[in-house]
Amino acid sequence: MEFTDLKAQYAALKTSIDLRIQRVLEHGQYILGPEVRELEEALAKFTGSRHCITVASGTEALLIALMALDLKPGDEVITTPFTFAATAEMIVLAGGRPVFADIEPDTCNIDASRIEALLTPRTRALMPVSLYGQVADMDEMTAIAARHGLAVIEDAAQSFGALYKGRRSGALSTFGATSFFPSKPLGCYGDGGALFTDDDRLAQAAREIRVHGQSGRYLHTRVGVGGRLDTLQAAVLLAKLERFDWELERRAAIGARYERLLAGVAGGTVVERVAVRPDRNSVWAQYTVKLADRTAVQAALQAAGVPSAVHYPKPLHRQPAYARFAGADPCPVSEREALRVLSLPMSADLTEADQDRVVRALAAAVQATGTPGTPGTPAAAPAATAA
Ligand SMILES: *Cc1c(COP(=O)(O)O)cnc(C)c1O
């Protein structure tokens, strides 16, 4: 069993993917070829954004968004410490200061109610992360931003395809930034990413920054980066889009099945899960449970041949490179959840038989360690419904 099954996906799409790649090899426009524009049009339409600007990776998307917003040295960007390093890393690389706000204990997304206390005259932007495939509280975030004249960048690296109050992740704020890293919900066969915005001026800025700040050939009107998406990766993504709606349905069904099986249905073992709010869904970039004795459970799963992963073992304000940004919010919830979270195998091609194996191994491990949730509290999580 694979943690993320990319081989079954390739087998299913082989004819289209091979054909699309072959066409690129024949026309030879490896840089910003016709597939890049075709993909941008398809993704803009899919998300409902006015503009899509494809870029070299999700990390690059975050950097280019911050550069397009003209972040100045010392500008503060409020974000979550419970994320992959790239989120805070790009704020620092762009000259800014990440200011960490703690997370909600049930969803593990940034807690919007903690943001206003962290605002200072230097605050320029909010950068929520739609963690594990579920959009953060974007309406609350954009309301705060509107009151204080801030930009909002959604780090949607894990949530491409997710719905929030009927709208798509990525199209909910000043910028949405996503990743096409192979294991993300929409992945290519290497690095890739995209930015979404409705703002014509910011879209133009991002397009120029992506090609070394050029507004015309060898006319460098701003400082940029080499941040284009390869034509070959665009070709792969176009082929993958053909069954992306089906993949979203499969992910929803597999996620819902995990929910049922781990909620103690039919006398099964109750395992606490990350909650999903009723006004949105999760595309389950990760299917994540919470355990009191994660180390023991993970070892037992490994012994049973079930792969698992920790996203993420340390909040960023506890990482050596970012500890100097530990600030006014001590982020105790992030620290606690970082010790408890464990992600289980998840992909559109996960079979029911394999999923049953995962659940059986997890139930056995949890019963053997005798500590399903938080020590001293009942294990049952609040009902988590995938809309
Ligand atoms: C994967 C990821 C990124 C970075 O994306 P890459 O394409 O790997 O550069 C950024 N933020 C989050 C939350 C991610 O999960």
Side-chain angles (χ1 to χ4, degrees):
M1 187 187 327
E2 314 243 5
F3 186 70
T4 312
D5 189 346
L6 299 175
K7 293 194 189 104
Q9 187 192 45
Y10 176 60
L13 292 168
K14 181 174 172 18
T15 311
S16 295
I17 290 174
D18 291 2
L19 184 74
R20 285 270 191 184
I21 288 177
Q22 193 60 40
R23 254 190 242 157
V24 176
L25 297 177
E26 278 158 19
H27 70 55
Q29 296 177 56
Y30 302 120
I31 301 296
L32 297 180
E35 285 79 4
V36 172
R37 175 49 63 138
E38 186 184 346
L39 177 68
E40 289 177 345
E41 279 166 14
L43 296 179
K45 186 154 171 267
F46 179 85
T47 56
S49 292
R50 205 169 144 80
H51 303 280
C52 168
I53 304 100
T54 55
V55 294
S57 69
T59 304
E60 208 75 18
L62 294 170
L63 179 64
I64 292 173
L66 290 163
M67 291 173 77
L69 289 165
D70 201 18
L71 200 75
K72 296 276 192 298
D75 280 354
E76 295 173 1
V77 180
I78 299 179
T79 189
T80 164
F82 201 71
T83 178
F84 181 58
T87 316
E89 185 180 42
M90 291 306 109
I91 296 169
V92 177
L93 201 63
R97 283 186 65 84
V99 173
F100 295 119
D102 209 359
I103 55 169
E104 302 171 330
D106 57 346
T107 66
C108 292
N109 273 331
I110 190 168
D111 184 342
S113 72
R114 300 174 82 109
I115 288 175
E116 272 183 308
L118 299 172
L119 295 173
T120 77
R122 299 305 310 264
T123 310
R124 274 293 314 283
L126 310 180
M127 198 188 271
V129 176
S130 295
L131 196 74
Y132 301 146
Q134 173 181 205
V135 172
D137 282 340
M138 293 304 288
D139 278 356
E140 287 79 354
M141 233 75 66
T142 47
I144 295 168
R147 279 201 292 282
H148 300 277
L150 311 173
V152 183
I153 301 170
E154 183 197 6
D155 182 341
Q158 301 184 8
S159 58
F160 189 78
L163 284 166
Y164 173 83
K165 304 183 185 185
R167 293 150 67 208
R168 291 284 182 194
S169 175
L172 303 167
S173 51
T174 320
F175 271 120
T178 198
S179 163
F180 305 125
F181 187 83
S183 60
K184 305 279 164 129
L186 177 63
C188 59
Y189 288 162
D191 281 305
L195 278 169
F196 300 92
T197 184
D198 286 338
D199 185 310
D200 296 349
R201 195 185 52 83
L202 289 175
Q204 183 59 28
R207 282 192 192 285
E208 292 177 11
I209 291 166
R210 171 176 79 171
V211 288
H212 304 285
Q214 293 176 92
S215 54
R217 194 164 172 81
Y218 299 126
L219 179 59
H220 303 271
T221 41
R222 54 176 99 230
V223 172
V225 294
R228 297 162 298 228
L229 178 75
D230 291 348
T231 307
L232 279 168
Q233 298 302 343
V236 170
L237 288 162
L238 282 165
K240 289 214 185 182
L241 275 180
E242 287 170 18
R243 68 160 212 174
F244 188 59
D245 285 335
W246 175 86
E247 288 191 11
L248 288 177
E249 280 167 32
R250 285 304 305 151
R251 283 177 173 278
I254 293 163
R257 193 160 182 272
Y258 263 135
E259 295 289 292
R260 283 197 303 279
L261 295 171
L262 298 175
V265 174
T269 304
V270 177
V271 178
E272 190 177 335
R273 288 105 41 216
V274 169
V276 178
R277 301 266 180 259
D279 58 359
R280 65 200 83 169
N281 68 358
S282 177
V283 289
W284 306 114
Q286 306 300 341
Y287 188 88
T288 304
V289 297
K290 300 178 173 198
L291 303 157
D293 194 350
R294 178 178 68 204
T295 310
V297 171
Q298 193 172 23
L301 288 180
Q302 195 185 0
V306 171
S308 63
V310 175
H311 304 99
Y312 296 90
K314 239 184 224 266
L316 295 183
H317 65 289
R318 292 291 183 197
Q319 290 284 357
Y322 303 99
R324 69 190 157 108
F325 299 109
D329 186 340
C331 300
V333 182
S334 300
E335 294 197 5
R336 188 184 74 218
E337 297 309 315
L339 300 173
R340 303 204 309 141
V341 289
L342 186 69
S343 302
L344 305 177
M346 167 55 88
S347 48
D349 296 286
L350 183 68
T351 63
E352 284 198 359
D354 278 346
Q355 190 177 24
D356 288 340
R357 266 184 62 206
V358 174
V359 171
R360 271 199 305 275
L362 180 64
V366 163
Q367 273 154 16
T369 58
T371 49
T374 308
T377 63
T385 46

